Amino acid sequence: MSSDGALARLIRSSASAPAGTEACELCAAPVPEEHPHLYDTAQAELCCACGPCSVLFAGDGAGGGRFRPVPRRRIRLRGIDTQTLGVPVGLVFFVPHADGTVTAQGPSPAGAMRWEVDAAAWRRAAERCPELAAMEPEVEALLVNTVRGLDHHWIVPVDDCFRMVAVVRREWRGLSGGGRVWPAVAEFFAGLTERC
């Protein structure tokens, strides 16, 4: 995903812009703070969409397959062992891609850090947890928080992950994060609710 695309804008705007200042990137109509996103397969990035534009791309192959709607479902998972995926941090999200690869991204004060996940390790995890195998490539992610003894594992829309990255970036102070970042992350996870 491009670092200068909609994801970077979402992170920046969540960190500093007043609510309600975004516009649909297809028709320029204003969009509310909570709005749909589309995944642009040609640019490998998310773009903000108004309701009517997001409906245009709801069917398989709509728009020639260039734009894919980001689903809104969230599913809380239990008993997932993500340590076997070889990612050295406890606050991370895993995004499967159409080519079968999986990337892990973790928030930092500068944005999201990125790692490639071993494909065989991901397949083994998906065999143990069929929900992982059913994730939509590029637009859904496994979001994990095991920091400070927590045990949160969610399948979420990928835009939720970048909102979490924005929270970390906004609240991080000094070298270790300061006293505000972890309560803010805990509040973010407490606000997640399951929806199909």
Side-chain angles (χ1 to χ4, degrees):
M1 293 185 185
S2 170
S3 63
D4 59 348
L7 295 177
R9 288 191 302 278
L10 177 63
I11 291 168
R12 284 192 303 273
S13 68
S14 294
S16 61
T21 60
E22 293 188 78
C24 175
E25 294 182 55
L26 300 175
C27 73
V31 295
E33 185 175 353
E34 183 75 25
H35 58 270
H37 289 98
L38 298 170
Y39 179 72
D40 181 342
T41 59
Q43 299 296 320
E45 66 183 23
L46 289 180
C47 48
C48 299
C50 65
C53 285
S54 69
V55 170
L56 290 174
F57 299 99
D60 286 339
R66 176 173 175 182
F67 294 101
R68 296 184 48 222
V70 175
R72 301 310 316 149
R73 75 179 183 139
R74 290 185 189 133
I75 302 169
R76 181 145 191 193
L77 304 174
R78 301 205 183 340
I80 303 293
D81 180 12
T82 52
Q83 290 184 355
T84 61
L85 298 175
V87 176
V89 295
L91 183 58
V92 64
F93 59 97
F94 299 87
V95 180
H97 301 284
D99 64 2
T101 61
V102 177
T103 55
Q105 298 181 54
S108 77
M113 300 177 298
R114 190 175 173 136
W115 302 269
E116 295 296 322
V117 175
D118 179 67
W122 181 261
R123 278 192 304 275
R124 286 190 298 274
E127 287 168 4
R128 291 187 301 271
C129 180
E131 292 92 341
L132 297 182
M135 288 170 51
E136 290 191 45
E138 319 292 351
V139 293
E140 287 189 307
L142 170 63
L143 178 60
V144 175
N145 182 9
T146 57
V147 174
R148 298 183 175 190
L150 296 175
D151 187 28
H152 293 283
H153 297 82
W154 289 80
I155 292 176
V156 296
V158 74
D159 51 1
D160 276 354
C161 300
F162 286 92
R163 276 192 272 283
M164 186 265 306
V165 170
V167 167
V168 170
R169 213 171 151 192
R170 182 185 65 229
E171 301 297 339
W172 194 278
R173 300 291 182 270
L175 295 175
S176 64
R180 294 175 21 181
V181 69
W182 298 117
V185 168
E187 183 179 332
F188 174 87
F189 275 87
L192 292 178
T193 56
E194 289 194 89
R195 60 185 182 208
C196 295

